[in-house]
Amino acid sequence: MRQLDEITEAVLAYHPEADVDIILDAYLFSAKAHRGQSRQSGEAYLSHPVEVAYNLTRLKMDEKTVAAGLLHDTLEDTLATEDEIKELFGDEIYHMVDGVTKISQVQFASWEEKQAENYRKMILAMAHDIRVVLIKLADRAHNLQTLESLSPEQQDRISRETLDIYAPIANRLGIGWLKAELEDGSFQYVRPEKYKSIVDRMHQGEDERNALVKNVCEAMEKELVVAQIKGVVTGRSKHYYSIYKKMMLQQIDLEDVYDLIGVRVITDSLKDCYAALGLVHSLWRPIPGKFKDYIAMPKPNMYQSLHTTVNGPNGQRVEVQIRSKEMHKVAEEGIAAHWQYKDGDNKTKKQEDHLSWVRHLLEAQSEIQNPKDFLNAFKVDLFFQEVYVFTPEGDVIALPRGATPVDFAYQVHTDIGNHCLAAKVNGKIVTLKYKMKNGDRVEILTSKQKHPSRDWLSFVKTSKARSKIIHYVNHREREKSLELGREILETEIRKYGFNPAEVLKGKNLDEAIHAAGFNTLDNLYIGIGFGKTSVRHVVDKLLPKKTLEEFAKQKPTVKVSEPTGESRGGGSGIKVRSFGEDMMLRIGKCCNPVPGDTIIGYITRGRGVSIHSVDCPSMMSLAGETERLVEVEWDTTHKTPFPARISIVTEDKPGLLAKISSTVSECNVNMTRANVQTSALKRAYFDLSLEILDLDHLNRTLETLRKIPGVIHVERTKEYSKKMSRKKSGDNQGDNAGSSEGTGVWVN
């Protein structure tokens, strides 16, 4: 086990004025608290906090952070109390220990929810005190070194989580060595065969690569001396996981990875970096397109360096990185390089720039409540492959690769994003879906009449843009549904000859609201507008029963049979996202979607949500009413038959109808209708209606029918209603879309 002296000596080496007594006190407290505890490897538990503390010295952290590293598991895994930590070590260290403590005691409904809460806490910790997350990273780095004592399932889970979250965080914080250590430590457990193969093959050619690096370094050192440029030249090898990622990304073998080795030149000043670049290009021919200037345009994690790839000795490609001493310090230590030991409570300007992405994540987490959406946003901001674009004033903005003008607009200001009308890129109008390229000059055109659309969510890349759009769209949908619901209910009340203003103040109102499952009148309106509750059920509670009965006698009604458990209505087989259960759904006969088709829902006026294929003409003609469209998905837990229509062309010969019928039956399909016609060309045309479970079931049936001797052609047909494809306007169009002879079903 590492000794305490190694930790204190390391701290004093980079921070001579540090109060190492607090580290000693933390060590003694941790040793006492963890006495008798062992890790699964058999080592004394104290070895873990000691290694974590040592990792923090590698990050050159202050003595209080190192002390918190020694104490980080005491609240969770020992009998130590919060009051003890506060009394002995003060609030600052206590808050760091508390921030690191896992939330394993809290019960969550799902793994995603648990992970989302862990990451929310991590983001809040980063915003409040970045040292908390640095302790977490130091903790994970040591845990990876002792994974061999855990079960294969635990090894795989911890390693994947590290690759998904912790290594990208280290990268985002600019800590190069820690990112590489976390990735390689996880790689050997996630892909053990690939890891061993790369390690073995790298060892085989090690002597040859070392000789090449030596030749390049010596040549560069001579040129630096002649040019009177102070600098140090060293060789470097790519770490194993980065090699694996390049092989997978480019679908190449190890022999085709040309930059397995590289040379790093570290100079004294910025101007010497560019001078050294000139020397490199005078010695060896640069490879076109392989030069990147991260000094003029730093990465979002503040990384700065010049990268170039050249044809080195014997025509072998060599990647050269050139940076100053200060840049190298930032590249290796990241955010820790900007830590101010004497004034640790105040963030420097560089720290603020370093953590701007954390502020964006904080904004996102406050507006995205769905755990899955939050995790996706979290990962998007971590796996940040940047593109650099310019504002009209010449300021540089870094965005994820594939970002659009809408992402740019929200990055500049939320109001600009919310009123984004169009964009000019390099002086030319482009679509809002345009994927920006490095060096683009972007100008956003705005209009007070323009507002975010749900369609934007299909192409924006940044979590900030996504969260702002979701927030706005949900707010607008709520307002629209409130107005729509009020109109529907008041219209229904007037139909019975009553004044809505009087009825909606009567004694029956509270009973009607609560019977429908709401707590306020506005929420009831919204429920009706969304199609979440039936307006008839509400009216039954509001109006006198006698009046309703008399009205029913005066007006003939059409009796609709209730769907049986064997029909498509036994369980709708459809879920409407965000609006819960007990929602009236109608499946339009204009397109008859089946499970497996991409579908969308349309909120009708008082008749619930109608379900259509996305390519249904009735939906394609509703481009102006996107606020009434909702996301829906098939519920695979229900095995409910759905109608599908198919057409078959065959040779006109006896027995084919019987063969087709028996084949359909063998495929466990119920045929509900058959229409057969023949032609003078000795052809028979079958128009069949079937009941199938999903798209795969239908496709298997079609494939089986195609194999019948005499069958020429088989295809699925969709009976798009002609009235749906005609251009209409206003609410009539939407109401027709919702009522296109669909079958009503309740989701229970």
Side-chain angles (χ1 to χ4, degrees):
M1 187 174 77
R2 200 175 296 277
Q3 300 300 309
L4 178 63
D5 288 348
E6 296 178 71
I7 296 173
T8 55
E9 288 172 6
V11 172
L12 291 171
Y14 59 78
H15 186 20
E17 298 177 4
D19 178 13
V20 294
D21 286 344
I22 198 168
I23 297 176
L24 174 61
D25 291 341
Y27 175 84
L28 294 174
F29 185 90
S30 183
K32 181 180 178 181
H34 290 295
R35 182 181 299 157
Q37 294 181 343
S38 299
R39 289 172 63 80
Q40 286 186 287
S41 61
E43 293 180 290
Y45 195 94
L46 183 62
S47 63
H48 173 62
V50 168
E51 290 293 343
V52 171
Y54 184 75
N55 280 338
L56 291 168
T57 68
R58 297 169 68 193
L59 290 167
K60 297 182 171 58
M61 297 308 298
D62 62 303
E63 66 271 24
K64 289 184 178 180
T65 309
V66 174
L70 287 165
L71 299 167
H72 79 276
D73 274 341
T74 53
L75 286 181
E76 181 184 3
D77 295 330
T78 76
L79 298 177
T81 66
E82 296 178 0
D83 290 340
E84 285 181 290
I85 302 292
K86 288 180 182 178
E87 181 180 349
L88 294 172
F89 301 100
D91 287 342
E92 185 177 352
I93 290 179
Y94 162 72
H95 286 302
M96 281 191 277
V97 175
D98 180 60
V100 177
T101 301
K102 302 176 181 68
I103 51 175
S104 56
Q105 296 86 354
V106 183
Q107 297 299 313
F108 296 100
S110 66
W111 179 87
E112 279 186 343
E113 186 178 339
K114 180 175 181 179
Q115 288 297 83
E117 288 305 318
N118 271 301
Y119 300 147
R120 285 183 201 273
K121 186 174 183 181
M122 200 180 302
I123 294 167
L124 290 169
M126 278 191 277
H128 178 68
D129 190 339
I130 191 63
R131 292 175 296 177
V132 171
V133 175
L134 295 177
I135 297 171
K136 277 184 172 287
L137 293 175
D139 172 55
R140 181 52 61 104
H142 181 249
N143 282 335
L144 285 176
Q145 295 172 9
T146 58
L147 280 187
E148 70 276 0
S149 60
L150 302 182
S151 67
E153 292 76 16
Q154 290 173 305
Q155 292 172 348
D156 184 73
R157 176 182 59 78
I158 293 172
S159 298
R160 289 184 185 280
E161 185 181 58
T162 302
L163 289 176
D164 281 348
I165 301 298
Y166 290 97
I169 287 178
N171 180 50
R172 268 313 218 130
L173 295 178
I175 311 171
W177 68 267
L178 185 54
K179 167 185 174 284
E181 196 170 294
L182 291 171
E183 288 183 337
D184 282 350
S186 302
F187 180 33
Q188 62 181 308
Y189 291 103
V190 172
R191 292 283 187 273
E193 300 85 3
K194 291 286 186 183
Y195 176 82
K196 187 176 185 305
S197 172
I198 291 175
V199 171
D200 291 344
R201 292 166 71 183
M202 287 289 287
H203 286 167
Q204 290 172 6
E206 192 170 6
D207 292 341
E208 182 181 343
R209 288 193 300 274
N210 288 342
L212 175 62
V213 169
K214 183 179 178 182
N215 290 339
V216 172
C217 289
E218 288 176 351
M220 272 300 304
E221 286 169 348
K222 289 178 182 178
E223 290 296 321
L224 289 174
V225 171
V226 171
Q228 297 183 339
I229 298 173
K230 292 182 179 180
V232 177
V233 185
T234 58
R236 65 176 190 86
S237 294
K238 279 185 173 290
H239 66 282
Y240 301 129
Y241 188 67
S242 67
I243 295 172
Y244 170 74
K245 285 197 296 185
K246 176 164 282 193
M247 290 169 59
M248 294 300 102
L249 181 65
Q250 300 181 7
Q251 293 295 299
I252 57 177
D253 196 50
L254 182 64
E255 286 74 14
D256 299 317
V257 180
Y258 63 83
D259 54 350
L260 289 174
I261 59 169
V263 170
R264 183 172 291 146
V265 182
I266 301 176
T267 68
D268 280 357
S269 66
L270 172 64
K271 70 173 184 176
D272 287 345
C273 291
Y274 289 97
L277 176 68
L279 293 179
V280 171
H281 286 174
S282 67
L283 282 171
W284 302 288
R285 185 183 300 276
I287 306 297
K290 293 296 181 181
F291 170 70
K292 293 180 180 178
D293 188 344
Y294 291 119
I295 293 180
M297 288 183 163
K299 290 187 177 184
N301 60 11
M302 309 306 289
Y303 174 90
Q304 289 183 290
S305 190
L306 298 175
H307 288 196
T308 186
T309 302
V310 297
N311 276 318
N314 304 321
Q316 291 184 280
R317 290 188 175 188
V318 179
E319 184 186 63
V320 182
Q321 296 178 353
I322 305 169
R323 62 182 71 144
S324 68
K325 290 179 180 177
E326 178 62 27
M327 294 172 194
H328 182 63
K329 183 179 181 183
V330 172
E332 290 301 300
E333 300 172 20
I335 186 69
H338 302 309
W339 191 256
Q340 302 296 304
Y341 300 111
K342 293 182 180 179
D343 194 14
D345 291 334
N346 297 321
K347 294 185 178 72
T348 66
K349 175 64 168 64
K350 286 185 177 181
Q351 281 178 291
E352 288 291 344
D353 293 340
H354 227 321
L355 295 176
S356 61
W357 64 280
V358 178
R359 292 196 300 274
H360 296 155
L361 270 175
L362 273 175
E363 292 178 15
Q365 71 92 22
S366 65
E367 294 176 358
I368 300 178
Q369 299 303 317
N370 181 283
K372 186 175 182 180
D373 290 343
F374 174 75
L375 285 176
N376 289 336
F378 187 80
K379 291 179 180 180
V380 163
D381 277 290
L382 290 181
F383 293 97
F384 192 103
Q385 295 182 339
E386 61 281 346
V387 58
Y388 299 93
V389 296
F390 295 90
T391 68
E393 293 75 28
D395 295 330
V396 179
I397 291 184
L399 292 166
R401 193 164 298 278
T404 66
V406 176
D407 294 292
F408 175 89
Y410 277 106
Q411 200 74 7
V412 174
H413 197 280
T414 298
D415 283 345
I416 295 177
N418 282 342
H419 299 292
C420 177
L421 175 66
K424 281 186 178 180
V425 174
N426 304 323
K428 296 181 180 180
I429 294 288
V430 299
T431 69
L432 294 181
K433 293 182 179 180
Y434 170 82
K435 294 182 179 180
M436 292 184 290
K437 302 178 180 65
N438 274 321
D440 280 346
R441 182 178 177 274
V442 186
E443 180 183 355
I444 300 298
L445 308 179
T446 61
S447 169
K448 289 296 183 183
Q449 284 70 48
K450 182 65 177 177
H451 302 291
S453 164
R454 185 178 287 276
D455 295 339
W456 291 2
L457 294 173
S458 65
F459 57 79
V460 295
K461 293 295 181 182
T462 61
S463 62
K464 181 176 182 180
R466 181 169 294 275
S467 65
K468 296 297 182 184
I469 294 166
I470 290 173
H471 178 75
Y472 182 89
V473 169
N474 286 346
H475 180 70
R476 288 291 295 162
E477 284 183 351
R478 182 180 173 87
E479 288 182 343
K480 291 273 189 182
S481 295
L482 192 149
E483 296 170 6
L484 184 62
R486 179 186 288 112
E487 179 185 338
I488 291 170
L489 182 56
E490 290 181 354
T491 299
E492 189 72 8
I493 292 171
R494 289 192 191 97
K495 185 174 74 174
Y496 291 95
F498 288 86
N499 181 355
E502 296 297 327
V503 172
L504 296 176
K505 291 180 180 178
K507 61 181 181 179
N508 294 332
L509 180 61
D510 287 342
E511 181 185 350
I513 292 172
H514 289 101
F518 301 98
N519 53 8
T520 66
L521 181 57
D522 281 354
N523 286 339
L524 175 63
Y525 288 147
I526 292 167
I528 295 173
F530 273 140
K532 191 173 181 179
T533 191
S534 167
V535 66
R536 178 55 190 270
H537 291 171
V538 178
V539 169
D540 284 346
K541 296 290 184 182
L542 288 173
L543 301 181
K545 186 176 180 180
K546 184 177 179 181
T547 301
L548 296 172
E549 290 174 349
E550 290 177 354
F551 189 86
K553 292 176 182 178
Q554 297 170 7
K555 187 173 182 179
T557 60
V558 178
K559 184 177 180 181
V560 181
S561 59
E562 291 292 325
T564 66
E566 295 298 318
S567 74
R568 63 195 275 179
S572 75
I574 297 170
K575 294 187 289 188
V576 182
R577 299 181 187 173
S578 305
F579 302 135
E581 301 178 344
D582 195 30
M583 179 178 291
M584 184 66 178
L585 303 180
R586 292 177 177 271
I587 300 173
K589 285 187 178 179
C590 51
C591 55
N592 275 334
V594 299
D597 287 333
T598 304
I599 55 176
I600 193 165
Y602 180 85
I603 302 171
T604 66
R605 292 187 182 274
R607 287 187 291 273
V609 176
S610 63
I611 309 300
H612 298 263
S613 298
V614 292
D615 57 354
C616 177
S618 65
M619 291 296 99
M620 298 171 73
S621 63
L622 293 174
E625 296 191 55
T626 56
E627 69 274 5
R628 292 172 71 177
L629 298 178
V630 294
E631 292 184 79
V632 294
E633 61 186 15
W634 297 106
D635 184 358
T636 55
T637 60
H638 290 84
K639 289 297 182 181
T640 305
F642 283 77
R645 189 171 170 182
I646 68 171
S647 64
I648 307 175
V649 181
T650 72
E651 298 171 2
D652 185 11
K653 58 184 183 181
L656 267 178
L657 176 57
K659 182 60 179 174
I660 288 172
S661 297
S662 63
T663 300
V664 168
S665 179
E666 289 168 3
C667 292
N668 295 319
V669 174
N670 181 37
M671 186 187 301
T672 59
R673 184 184 64 85
N675 183 31
V676 185
Q677 294 181 347
T678 59
S679 73
L681 299 175
K682 295 294 183 180
R683 293 286 185 267
Y685 302 90
F686 295 75
D687 181 11
L688 309 180
S689 292
L690 312 177
E691 286 188 340
I692 56 91
L693 296 177
D694 53 36
L695 192 58
D696 286 341
H697 190 197
L698 175 61
N699 289 336
R700 290 195 303 270
T701 303
L702 297 181
E703 191 60 33
T704 305
L705 290 169
R706 291 187 183 105
K707 296 176 181 178
I708 298 175
V711 170
I712 298 171
H713 181 72
V714 182
E715 69 175 7
R716 175 188 177 189
T717 58
K718 294 185 178 181
E719 189 181 34
Y720 291 125
S721 171
K722 291 182 180 179
K723 69 178 178 180
M724 304 311 305
S725 59
R726 289 200 300 265
K727 181 72 175 175
K728 296 197 173 196
S729 62
D731 291 332
N732 288 335
Q733 178 180 342
D735 289 341
N736 286 335
S739 62
S740 56
E741 299 177 322
T743 300
V745 293
W746 283 101
V747 181
N748 292 317

